[in-house]
Amino acid sequence: MRNSVSGDAVVHGHSVQAQVIESLTFAAPQGYRPPVPRQLPSSNHLFVNRAAELGALTDALTSSRLISVSGLGGVGKTQLVTRWASTTGAEHFPDGELYADLERSAGVAAAAEESAGEDG
């Protein structure tokens, strides 16, 4: 058996790799609660004049569990949602917030496609 981690992969904390798992038991002290994930990136301190948009995000949660924010690149979508979630996240998302950098993922995929095109 060989283990390898490649690319930008990073393993934090405990990790188990196995070919076949027949049974698995986790034990934790009584009353143990894992830490609540708060993975939001820091918000830009130059964030101004978006009170209406912040309110619209809060209002949208009354009628939907999924909210999508769209717009041209660079208009401040990430800053808007990050600011909103950092100020109201604990109230609306008591189980925590997870952050996925979709721009970086798209950039990595585009770079891989571009380099693949150069080879053949």
Side-chain angles (χ1 to χ4, degrees):
M1 172 172 269
R2 182 175 78 91
N3 287 329
S4 67
V5 177
S6 63
D8 292 337
V10 177
V11 177
H12 297 280
H14 303 289
S15 175
V16 174
Q17 290 184 315
Q19 185 172 356
V20 176
I21 299 175
E22 296 291 333
S23 175
L24 186 61
T25 303
F26 290 98
Q30 187 174 10
Y32 172 78
R33 290 192 49 131
V36 175
R38 302 287 181 203
Q39 295 182 353
L40 297 176
S42 61
S43 183
N44 188 332
H45 66 282
L46 299 175
F47 187 88
V48 294
N49 201 23
R50 288 305 216 29
E53 290 85 353
L54 292 169
L57 285 171
T58 301
D59 292 345
L61 275 184
T62 62
S63 61
S64 179
R65 292 174 44 112
L66 176 66
I67 302 169
S68 176
V69 177
S70 63
L72 297 173
V75 297
K77 300 176 297 294
T78 300
Q79 285 298 319
L80 173 68
V81 173
T82 299
R83 175 62 60 100
W84 174 76
S86 67
T87 58
T88 65
E91 174 187 343
H92 293 290
F93 308 108
D95 293 330
E97 304 103 12
L98 302 176
Y99 178 76
D101 186 351
L102 300 178
E103 179 180 10
R104 180 174 175 186
S105 297
V108 170
E113 286 178 19
E114 183 177 315
S115 67
E118 292 173 2
D119 292 340

